[in-house]
Amino acid sequence: ILNVEQSPQSLHVQEGDSTNFTCSFPSSNFYALHWYRWETAKSPEALFVMTLNGDEKKKGRISATLNTKEGYSYLYIKGSQPEDSATYLCAHKTDSWGKLQFGAGTQVVVTP
Amino acid sequence: DTAVSQTPKYLVTQMGNDKSIKCEQNLGHDTMYWYKQDSKKFLKIMFSYNNKELIINETVPNRFSPKSPDKAHLNLHINSLELGDSAVYFCASSPSPGQFEEQYFGPGTRLTVT
């Protein structure tokens, strides 16, 4: 993997269902992995910054895991609610002064 | 209080003009960034300043020039605007470029070049 890839590109979830999606990144030169939540007509907002292999982070019903050796992170949404509808971006960083390389995002639509 | 603000929110201008977008953060952060959201909706870094010093300068046309008068402000000046410059430009800031530092984004400036 040369770039940051997110899959699926979009998904539709029924309210109350749980879902998850993937961020893949180059496993070499890992420094940090960011997750952002981006609602329509708003700015991206940080969810998690993950730095260690095996890291698990949780914020309310949203959680994330990190595998730096194989180069992937999963984001989970438990019991999806309509307000979870957003595009979820991940971004990979290779060093302290380096840039964040963003994926294209996974668009989540939660229907009542 | 708005943490990261950008002006203007919308900018419509003709090809060949010169324009500036301003960004201000009131978070006391040392590092600021400019991103361009391209036609495929990717956020791509253009520039980053840490304490008024340029630390990231991606391959962008030299018609784009950032200026940081102090660490709370990072402005983007664009000369001789072209149709391909039409995009949404986001400013962001973080406490430092360090490992744990999440970035705080402004609301974006939608630039349309006609």
Side-chain angles (χ1 to χ4, degrees), chain B residues 3 27 37 47 52 57-58 63 66 69 73 79 81-84 86 91-92 99-101 112:
Chain B
L27 298 166
Q37 184 185 13
F47 303 103
K52 303 194 294 175
N57 185 357
E58 285 294 288
R63 299 181 294 103
H73 295 85
N79 288 329
L81 277 153
E82 299 178 358
L83 292 175
S86 295
C91 176
Q99 188 175 27
F100 303 102
E101 310 295 5
T112 303

Short mmCIF file of all heavy atoms in Angstrom, two decimals, chain B residues 3 27 37 47 52 57-58 63 66 69 73 79 81-84 86 91-92 99-101 112:
data_model
loop_
_atom_site.label_atom_id
_atom_site.label_comp_id
_atom_site.label_asym_id
_atom_site.label_seq_id
_atom_site.Cartn_x
_atom_site.Cartn_y
_atom_site.Cartn_z
N ALA B 3 -12.85 28.74 16.96
CA ALA B 3 -11.46 28.38 17.25
C ALA B 3 -10.55 28.71 16.07
O ALA B 3 -9.51 29.34 16.24
CB ALA B 3 -11.39 26.91 17.61
N LEU B 27 -6.59 29.48 19.53
CA LEU B 27 -6.35 28.34 20.42
C LEU B 27 -4.97 28.38 21.05
O LEU B 27 -4.63 27.49 21.85
CB LEU B 27 -6.52 27.03 19.62
CG LEU B 27 -7.92 26.82 19.06
CD1 LEU B 27 -7.91 25.69 18.03
CD2 LEU B 27 -8.90 26.50 20.18
N GLN B 37 -9.05 20.89 -0.83
CA GLN B 37 -9.90 19.75 -1.09
C GLN B 37 -10.05 19.65 -2.60
O GLN B 37 -10.65 20.53 -3.23
CB GLN B 37 -11.27 19.91 -0.44
CG GLN B 37 -12.15 18.67 -0.61
CD GLN B 37 -13.54 18.87 -0.07
OE1 GLN B 37 -13.96 19.98 0.23
NE2 GLN B 37 -14.27 17.78 0.09
N PHE B 47 0.66 23.73 2.70
CA PHE B 47 1.72 24.36 3.49
C PHE B 47 1.46 24.12 4.98
O PHE B 47 0.34 23.93 5.41
CB PHE B 47 1.74 25.89 3.28
CG PHE B 47 1.90 26.32 1.86
CD1 PHE B 47 0.81 26.77 1.12
CD2 PHE B 47 3.15 26.30 1.25
CE1 PHE B 47 0.96 27.17 -0.19
CE2 PHE B 47 3.31 26.70 -0.06
CZ PHE B 47 2.21 27.13 -0.78
N LYS B 52 5.56 30.60 12.88
CA LYS B 52 5.86 31.51 11.77
C LYS B 52 6.93 30.98 10.82
O LYS B 52 7.33 31.67 9.89
CB LYS B 52 6.27 32.90 12.27
CG LYS B 52 5.25 33.59 13.16
CD LYS B 52 5.56 35.05 13.34
CE LYS B 52 6.85 35.26 14.10
NZ LYS B 52 7.22 36.70 14.17
N ASN B 57 6.12 22.40 2.63
CA ASN B 57 5.86 23.14 1.41
C ASN B 57 5.70 22.11 0.31
O ASN B 57 6.69 21.66 -0.26
CB ASN B 57 7.02 24.11 1.13
CG ASN B 57 6.74 25.00 -0.06
OD1 ASN B 57 5.71 24.88 -0.73
ND2 ASN B 57 7.65 25.90 -0.34
N GLU B 58 4.46 21.70 0.09
CA GLU B 58 4.22 20.68 -0.92
C GLU B 58 4.40 21.25 -2.31
O GLU B 58 4.57 22.46 -2.49
CB GLU B 58 2.80 20.12 -0.76
CG GLU B 58 2.67 19.18 0.43
CD GLU B 58 3.47 17.92 0.25
OE1 GLU B 58 3.08 17.06 -0.56
OE2 GLU B 58 4.49 17.76 0.96
N ARG B 63 2.50 30.33 -7.67
CA ARG B 63 1.49 31.40 -7.59
C ARG B 63 0.84 31.43 -6.20
O ARG B 63 0.21 32.41 -5.83
CB ARG B 63 0.40 31.15 -8.65
CG ARG B 63 0.89 31.16 -10.08
CD ARG B 63 -0.25 30.93 -11.06
NE ARG B 63 -0.83 29.60 -10.96
CZ ARG B 63 -1.98 29.33 -10.37
NH1 ARG B 63 -2.69 30.30 -9.83
NH2 ARG B 63 -2.43 28.10 -10.34
N PRO B 66 2.06 31.42 1.01
CA PRO B 66 1.55 31.59 2.37
C PRO B 66 2.32 32.68 3.09
O PRO B 66 3.49 32.94 2.79
CB PRO B 66 1.83 30.23 3.00
CG PRO B 66 3.04 29.73 2.28
CD PRO B 66 3.04 30.33 0.91
N PRO B 69 2.09 36.24 9.60
CA PRO B 69 2.59 37.43 10.32
C PRO B 69 2.85 37.16 11.80
O PRO B 69 3.71 37.81 12.41
CB PRO B 69 1.46 38.45 10.13
CG PRO B 69 0.25 37.65 9.80
CD PRO B 69 0.72 36.41 9.12
N HIS B 73 -1.95 33.58 12.90
CA HIS B 73 -2.48 33.88 11.57
C HIS B 73 -1.66 33.21 10.48
O HIS B 73 -0.42 33.18 10.54
CB HIS B 73 -2.45 35.40 11.31
CG HIS B 73 -3.35 36.18 12.21
ND1 HIS B 73 -2.95 36.59 13.47
CD2 HIS B 73 -4.63 36.59 12.04
CE1 HIS B 73 -3.95 37.25 14.04
NE2 HIS B 73 -4.98 37.26 13.19
N ASN B 79 -1.76 34.30 -6.77
CA ASN B 79 -1.59 35.20 -7.92
C ASN B 79 -2.12 34.55 -9.20
O ASN B 79 -2.12 33.32 -9.33
CB ASN B 79 -0.10 35.52 -8.13
CG ASN B 79 0.45 36.44 -7.06
OD1 ASN B 79 -0.27 37.28 -6.52
ND2 ASN B 79 1.71 36.26 -6.74
N LEU B 81 -4.92 33.84 -10.80
CA LEU B 81 -5.80 32.70 -10.58
C LEU B 81 -6.17 32.00 -11.89
O LEU B 81 -6.38 32.63 -12.92
CB LEU B 81 -7.06 33.16 -9.85
CG LEU B 81 -6.86 33.24 -8.33
CD1 LEU B 81 -7.79 34.26 -7.70
CD2 LEU B 81 -7.05 31.86 -7.71
N GLU B 82 -6.24 30.66 -11.80
CA GLU B 82 -6.60 29.83 -12.94
C GLU B 82 -7.87 29.04 -12.61
O GLU B 82 -8.20 28.85 -11.44
CB GLU B 82 -5.45 28.86 -13.27
CG GLU B 82 -4.16 29.57 -13.62
CD GLU B 82 -3.02 28.58 -13.88
OE1 GLU B 82 -3.24 27.36 -13.75
OE2 GLU B 82 -1.91 29.05 -14.22
N LEU B 83 -8.52 28.55 -13.66
CA LEU B 83 -9.75 27.78 -13.46
C LEU B 83 -9.53 26.60 -12.52
O LEU B 83 -10.37 26.28 -11.68
CB LEU B 83 -10.29 27.28 -14.80
CG LEU B 83 -10.82 28.33 -15.77
CD1 LEU B 83 -11.22 27.70 -17.09
CD2 LEU B 83 -12.01 29.08 -15.17
N GLY B 84 -8.37 25.96 -12.65
CA GLY B 84 -8.06 24.77 -11.84
C GLY B 84 -7.85 25.06 -10.38
O GLY B 84 -7.73 24.13 -9.57
N SER B 86 -10.03 26.48 -8.60
CA SER B 86 -11.35 26.38 -7.96
C SER B 86 -11.38 25.15 -7.06
O SER B 86 -11.11 24.03 -7.50
CB SER B 86 -12.46 26.27 -9.01
OG SER B 86 -12.53 27.45 -9.78
N CYS B 91 -8.10 25.80 6.34
CA CYS B 91 -7.03 26.12 7.26
C CYS B 91 -7.18 25.22 8.48
O CYS B 91 -8.32 24.84 8.84
CB CYS B 91 -7.14 27.59 7.65
SG CYS B 91 -5.95 28.15 8.87
N ALA B 92 -6.08 24.87 9.12
CA ALA B 92 -6.14 24.06 10.34
C ALA B 92 -5.01 24.48 11.26
O ALA B 92 -4.05 25.13 10.83
CB ALA B 92 -6.03 22.56 10.01
N GLN B 99 3.40 14.06 17.82
CA GLN B 99 2.80 12.76 17.56
C GLN B 99 1.32 12.70 17.92
O GLN B 99 0.53 12.10 17.22
CB GLN B 99 3.56 11.71 18.35
CG GLN B 99 3.16 10.27 18.03
CD GLN B 99 4.02 9.28 18.75
OE1 GLN B 99 4.55 9.58 19.82
NE2 GLN B 99 4.19 8.10 18.19
N PHE B 100 0.95 13.31 19.03
CA PHE B 100 -0.40 13.14 19.56
C PHE B 100 -1.34 14.28 19.18
O PHE B 100 -2.46 14.33 19.64
CB PHE B 100 -0.34 13.01 21.08
CG PHE B 100 0.54 11.89 21.54
CD1 PHE B 100 1.82 12.16 22.01
CD2 PHE B 100 0.12 10.59 21.47
CE1 PHE B 100 2.65 11.13 22.43
CE2 PHE B 100 0.94 9.55 21.89
CZ PHE B 100 2.20 9.83 22.37
N GLU B 101 -0.85 15.18 18.34
CA GLU B 101 -1.60 16.42 18.17
C GLU B 101 -2.63 16.33 17.06
O GLU B 101 -2.29 16.26 15.88
CB GLU B 101 -0.63 17.57 17.88
CG GLU B 101 0.53 17.69 18.85
CD GLU B 101 0.10 18.04 20.26
OE1 GLU B 101 -1.11 18.11 20.52
OE2 GLU B 101 0.98 18.25 21.11
N THR B 112 -14.16 29.99 -6.30
CA THR B 112 -14.63 29.70 -7.65
C THR B 112 -13.97 30.69 -8.60
O THR B 112 -14.12 31.91 -8.45
CB THR B 112 -16.16 29.83 -7.75
OG1 THR B 112 -16.76 28.95 -6.79
CG2 THR B 112 -16.64 29.45 -9.14
#
